[in-house]
Amino acid sequence: MTFDWIDRLSDWNPQVFRELKGRLKRTNASSTSTTSFVIQLLVLLYFWNALPADHPKDNPYCTGSGSYRSFACIYDALGNPQIDWQHWWFDLFQALSWALPFVLLIAGVYMLIGDLGKEERRGTLNFIRLSPQTSHSILVGKLLGVPAIPYLAVALAVPLHLLAAIAAHVSIANVLSIYLLTAAACAFFYSAALLYAFLGGTQGWLGAVIIWLSYSVFFQLWQSATDFGSDHRYLGLGEWFYLPVGKHLGLAMTFALITLGAGTYWPWQAAKRRFRNPNLTLLSKSQSYRVTLCFEIWMLGFVFRDVSSSNRPLDDLVLLGFFSLLWFVILMVALTPQRQILLDWARYRRERVAKAKHFWSRSIVEDLIWGEKSPALVAIALNLLLANAVIMPWLLGWGNASYQLQGLATLVLGGTYLLICAAIAQLMMLMKSPKRAVWAASTIAGIIALPPAILGFLQFYPTEAPLAWLFSMGAFAALQSSVSITTIFTAFLGHLGILSLLSLRLSNQLQRAGESATKALLASKA
């Protein structure tokens, strides 16, 4: 029976079998089981020692009057305190609800990054790439097999967690919500860990620290509504497109699972691309359009509300723009190809055009929109248009013409400024320096952050020097004051002029690089 199960596992996913065979050895399994039971015993002893003893006046688990963590102790005729056991079990349940996902996330991410880094150093990852298994099968095997030790340790603690939930009268829905959210969060962070490792990251401790910070905030938001009061929100959420997702457990769970599911899908696709070919961009251009559409709709739902005199919609637009800025910085990284890929694209572009049979295929526009190796500037521009198309109906519904003009100017100037940043990043990725990615990232960070900081330091406030602020990412600060249409149009023309010069420079560099590579190739053949 055991051998049949092992054979079936090996046939279903050889990578899972390989990982489990190497990790769940008898010594590892026994030591993990012992450690898990010892830690559970220590947790029980900690909470047992928290019970009232030696006739205290108050205690968190006494049944008398009081508030928060201080309740008066009431004793029976034999001098034994009356204990609120339901409260005691609920605190134990909450502690385990925090600790079990924490172990899975921290240990799992750390082990995945470390394992892939070790495979890369030893060269075995290239051997796995050459196997007949699909990328999906291999990466699923990594996710299921590498964190086998944390899986075992947590599985052995689940019975105590369920016992505490039953004794504390916690609803089945809440218990299931914890398990479902844990599984979804593990899928998201584990996929992100795979992608981080394929990008060259080997610092497992860095991933563990990020998970610790993220999980601490997430858990506090979720537990803020454990008493189901009307003023509490699950995950700190309010309404999303008028749906009260933060006030009902079912809606909050559905929203969180869909969000984490979509958030898992895209890093997973990027990880599969980089696993098979480390030189590819993280996302294809067609994938970028879909993920931008999903992200912008998701973000718009939080600010989609009735416009009133007490709520300036431009403030919501600025908040939306901040997260969109973060997304488009990520998109620049995900879509900008490496120097050698751009050189290859420039060298063979004319040959591909010459072999094309249809008019649309002969156009370079198609390659710039959909091509895997072409520059990313046009694709980023289309992503910006797509994001603005999602936001525009909401903006046009504001009703106030002044607000609409400010919002439209914010979208247009912010978009052109981002395109300038994307053009600079693409130009810097053509540098011959081996540190070109670092230089590009540092330059873009400086272009985004330094102009507003310098203008503020020099005390050139938006009301006094609006045109200067319109040439920075802090344009919204100037637009909130009374800026003339002439000033806005002048800034827009300036953005277009800078973008045109950068685009021309990029085109010339690609053309020269392609010609130089072709000449070198012909010379070597001669």
Side-chain angles (χ1 to χ4, degrees):
M1 183 67 69
T2 302
F3 289 106
D4 290 341
W5 179 82
I6 294 175
D7 289 339
R8 290 179 183 177
L9 178 63
S10 178
D11 292 338
W12 172 69
N13 193 312
Q15 188 63 35
V16 173
F17 177 74
R18 172 178 175 257
E19 298 294 342
L20 294 180
K21 182 180 178 182
R23 297 174 188 282
L24 289 182
K25 297 179 180 179
R26 182 172 299 178
T27 304
N28 293 341
S30 58
S31 61
T32 300
S33 302
T34 302
T35 303
S36 179
F37 288 127
V38 168
I39 292 176
Q40 293 178 58
L41 180 61
L42 292 175
V43 171
L44 283 171
L45 289 176
Y46 171 81
F47 279 95
W48 185 263
N49 288 332
L51 291 172
D54 298 330
H55 298 83
K57 294 181 179 180
D58 53 44
N59 187 274
Y61 304 113
C62 283
T63 57
S65 60
S67 62
Y68 187 53
R69 305 292 295 178
S70 179
F71 297 92
C73 291
I74 301 175
Y75 293 86
D76 58 19
L78 297 178
N80 298 317
Q82 296 182 13
I83 297 174
D84 186 355
W85 286 107
Q86 183 178 351
H87 188 189
W88 187 83
W89 282 107
F90 182 76
D91 281 356
L92 177 60
F93 169 78
Q94 277 201 311
L96 293 174
S97 297
W98 179 86
L100 299 186
F102 184 78
V103 171
L104 282 178
L105 291 171
I106 294 288
V109 167
Y110 181 84
M111 294 179 71
L112 280 168
I113 296 174
D115 175 78
L116 290 172
K118 187 185 299 182
E119 296 255 32
E120 188 69 51
R121 289 192 299 271
R122 292 178 176 177
T124 53
L125 195 59
N126 289 328
F127 176 77
I128 296 174
R129 287 189 177 104
L130 297 175
S131 69
Q133 298 181 67
T134 63
S135 301
H136 180 83
S137 175
I138 294 173
L139 296 183
V140 167
K142 286 290 185 183
L143 293 187
L144 296 179
V146 172
I149 295 300
Y151 289 157
L152 177 60
V154 169
L156 293 174
V158 167
L160 178 60
H161 185 248
L162 292 175
L163 175 64
I166 294 171
H169 300 163
V170 178
S171 66
I172 296 176
N174 268 277
V175 177
L176 288 177
S177 71
I178 292 173
Y179 293 152
L180 288 175
L181 281 175
T182 299
C186 285
F188 172 73
F189 285 112
Y190 287 2
S191 299
L194 289 177
L195 180 58
Y196 173 74
F198 291 144
L199 289 175
T202 58
Q203 297 83 8
W205 63 268
L206 180 60
V209 169
I210 294 174
I211 298 301
W212 173 63
L213 295 174
S214 303
Y215 177 70
S216 298
V217 174
F218 178 87
F219 184 81
Q220 290 300 323
L221 290 173
W222 182 257
Q223 291 298 324
S224 66
T226 50
D227 59 359
F228 312 108
S230 58
D231 295 332
H232 289 79
R233 301 181 186 179
Y234 290 99
L235 300 175
L237 298 173
E239 292 185 345
W240 187 78
F241 285 114
Y242 297 110
L243 289 175
V245 293
K247 300 213 175 156
H248 301 282
L249 178 61
L251 285 175
M253 276 294 302
T254 303
F255 181 80
L257 292 177
I258 292 176
T259 299
L260 287 172
T264 301
Y265 176 78
W266 296 112
W268 179 256
Q269 295 299 317
K272 289 199 300 183
R273 284 172 59 85
R274 292 298 290 238
F275 173 70
R276 281 303 179 189
N277 188 349
N279 294 320
L280 284 178
T281 56
L282 296 181
L283 293 173
S284 68
K285 291 183 173 65
S286 60
Q287 288 175 334
S288 72
Y289 305 139
R290 297 196 297 271
V291 68
T292 296
L293 181 64
C294 293
F295 179 79
E296 293 298 332
I297 293 175
W298 182 78
M299 285 297 304
L300 181 62
F302 294 108
V303 298
F304 195 85
R305 58 174 70 95
D306 292 331
V307 179
S308 62
S309 59
S310 61
N311 176 34
R312 293 196 61 184
L314 190 60
D315 295 337
D316 288 335
L317 181 62
V318 171
L319 180 63
L320 183 62
F322 172 76
F323 288 102
S324 295
L325 170 64
L326 297 180
W327 165 244
F328 275 96
V329 170
I330 295 173
L331 202 61
M332 290 179 200
V333 176
L335 290 179
T336 303
Q338 298 290 330
R339 169 184 164 82
Q340 189 57 49
I341 293 178
L342 284 173
L343 295 181
D344 293 340
W345 177 81
R347 183 197 308 170
Y348 296 112
R349 187 185 67 189
R350 291 183 180 179
E351 181 180 347
R352 290 198 303 272
V353 171
K355 292 181 179 179
K357 299 179 180 180
H358 304 289
F359 173 76
W360 177 251
S361 297
R362 293 178 63 87
S363 175
I364 189 177
V365 176
E366 182 188 37
D367 207 10
L368 292 174
I369 294 174
W370 305 107
E372 291 278 344
K373 300 179 180 180
S374 59
L377 192 58
V378 173
I380 292 175
L382 289 176
N383 275 283
L384 281 167
L385 289 175
L386 187 61
N388 290 343
V390 172
I391 298 172
M392 194 60 66
W394 169 63
L395 188 151
L396 294 177
W398 288 357
N400 188 308
S402 176
Y403 287 171
Q404 289 176 346
L405 177 61
Q406 291 173 350
L408 182 61
T410 300
L411 290 181
V412 172
L413 294 179
T416 52
Y417 197 83
L418 277 172
L419 285 177
I420 290 172
C421 293
I424 293 173
Q426 190 68 87
L427 280 169
M428 299 196 73
M429 290 302 294
L430 282 170
M431 295 168 56
K432 294 182 179 181
S433 171
K435 300 290 186 179
R436 52 184 171 269
V438 177
W439 281 105
S442 302
T443 302
I444 297 306
I447 292 173
I448 292 174
L450 286 181
I454 293 173
L455 289 172
F457 178 76
L458 297 176
Q459 297 184 352
F460 292 152
Y461 300 114
T463 55
E464 300 172 356
L467 186 60
W469 280 85
L470 293 181
F471 279 89
S472 73
M473 197 53 75
F476 66 90
L479 292 170
Q480 287 182 331
S481 59
S482 56
V483 181
S484 65
I485 297 179
T486 303
T487 303
I488 295 174
F489 189 68
T490 301
F492 176 63
L493 291 179
H495 284 203
L496 289 183
I498 296 172
L499 182 60
S500 300
L501 291 175
L502 291 172
S503 300
L504 183 61
R505 174 69 175 170
L506 176 61
S507 178
N508 291 337
Q509 280 203 7
L510 286 172
Q511 186 175 2
R512 287 199 303 269
E515 291 175 354
S516 300
T518 303
K519 290 179 181 178
L521 182 63
L522 293 175
S524 64
K525 288 183 178 180

